[in-house]
Amino acid sequence: MAKKRESTLVRQRQIVEAARKLIIKRGSEHLTVSRIAREAGISEGAIYRHFRSKTEILSFLLDHAGSSLLGDMALQSAENHTTRETIRDILEKHLKAIEKRHGSSFQVIAEVVSFGDKKLNRKAFDIISSYIGRLSDLLSAGARQGSVRADIDQQAVATLIFGMVQGLVNLWALSNYSFGLTERFVPLWQNFRRVLEKG
């Protein structure tokens, strides 16, 4: 029974990864169960043994994207840095992973939202809100620690940080990956950190 469960989890991961690759390569409008099956190297019937619908695959994909984003934040936050360094390290880690895989949780979330499914949109909203909330918590910790200005609106600044990264990833994808994400991020962060520094 444990072996069967493990095999189911492996197959689900393969299907979800195939969906992620297709979304990044072709966009959400071209995502179909038959294309997912071809990308995963299995039959459509095999997909329906693990997922009831394309929407359920996308829901799992969002869960994975959210876990990846928020898990990275938890790991980096546990290290002993000032808060500004922690935020920078989190963002750089995300951008390096995006460059390596030519695709990201940020892109997946944006593409899934374009389907217009209310439940998926709500899930995407919750993931983004959690991400911004974690950034806001880090900024609050930085204000208490003295490494971040205490007079900023932490929620607003956390939203700006999210928007900066999302915008950079969108530009990179639209340019057909023609520039280095982490390279382009460095001057952005150097300018943005002035917002955070105590005067």
Side-chain angles (χ1 to χ4, degrees):
M1 190 69 169
K3 189 77 174 170
K4 186 179 178 184
R5 175 74 180 150
E6 182 186 334
S7 153
T8 298
L9 289 172
V10 167
R11 182 64 79 199
Q12 283 177 334
R13 279 193 214 107
Q14 287 173 337
I15 293 165
V16 167
E17 179 59 14
R20 185 195 72 79
K21 283 181 179 173
L22 283 170
I23 282 177
I24 298 305
K25 281 196 281 193
R26 303 183 65 128
S28 55
E29 67 274 15
H30 297 289
L31 190 71
T32 63
V33 172
S34 63
R35 282 189 172 131
I36 295 169
R38 275 198 304 276
E39 182 72 28
I42 58 176
S43 68
E44 283 188 58
I47 286 185
Y48 286 116
R49 282 197 290 278
H50 299 285
F51 295 100
R52 289 189 297 267
S53 63
K54 181 172 76 174
T55 301
E56 191 173 41
I57 295 170
L58 292 170
S59 182
F60 270 69
L61 184 54
L62 276 177
D63 286 337
H64 177 74
S67 297
S68 173
L69 283 174
L70 299 172
D72 285 347
M73 293 182 88
L75 281 172
Q76 292 292 125
S77 301
E79 294 183 5
N80 189 22
H81 291 305
T82 67
T83 301
R84 280 197 320 267
E85 287 172 339
T86 303
I87 293 171
R88 183 201 63 215
D89 289 352
I90 287 166
L91 299 179
E92 281 189 347
K93 183 174 181 179
H94 285 163
L95 294 172
K96 281 176 184 169
I98 290 164
E99 279 185 308
K100 187 177 176 184
R101 297 176 75 195
H102 261 224
S104 74
S105 301
F106 292 101
Q107 284 171 282
V108 165
I109 290 167
E111 286 288 343
V112 169
V113 166
S114 73
F115 276 98
D117 182 280
K118 286 184 179 176
K119 284 184 180 173
L120 290 175
N121 286 357
R122 182 69 217 187
K123 185 175 269 198
F125 173 79
D126 289 344
I127 290 166
I128 292 167
S129 296
S130 295
Y131 186 83
I132 290 170
R134 295 271 180 93
L135 286 172
S136 184
D137 290 344
L138 283 171
L139 292 167
S140 295
R144 288 192 302 273
Q145 177 195 78
S147 65
V148 170
R149 288 170 50 179
D151 63 339
I152 60 171
D153 180 329
Q154 288 141 5
Q155 185 76 11
V157 171
T159 304
L160 283 170
I161 293 170
F162 171 77
M164 176 174 66
V165 174
Q166 181 72 63
L168 181 59
V169 170
N170 288 348
L171 279 173
W172 177 69
L174 289 169
S175 77
N176 198 27
Y177 317 109
S178 66
F179 59 85
L181 267 181
T182 44
E183 264 176 52
R184 189 71 64 91
F185 172 71
V186 170
L188 283 176
W189 181 256
Q190 284 170 346
N191 282 280
F192 192 83
R193 66 176 291 175
R194 293 175 195 152
V195 174
L196 306 178
E197 286 172 346
K198 292 185 74 176

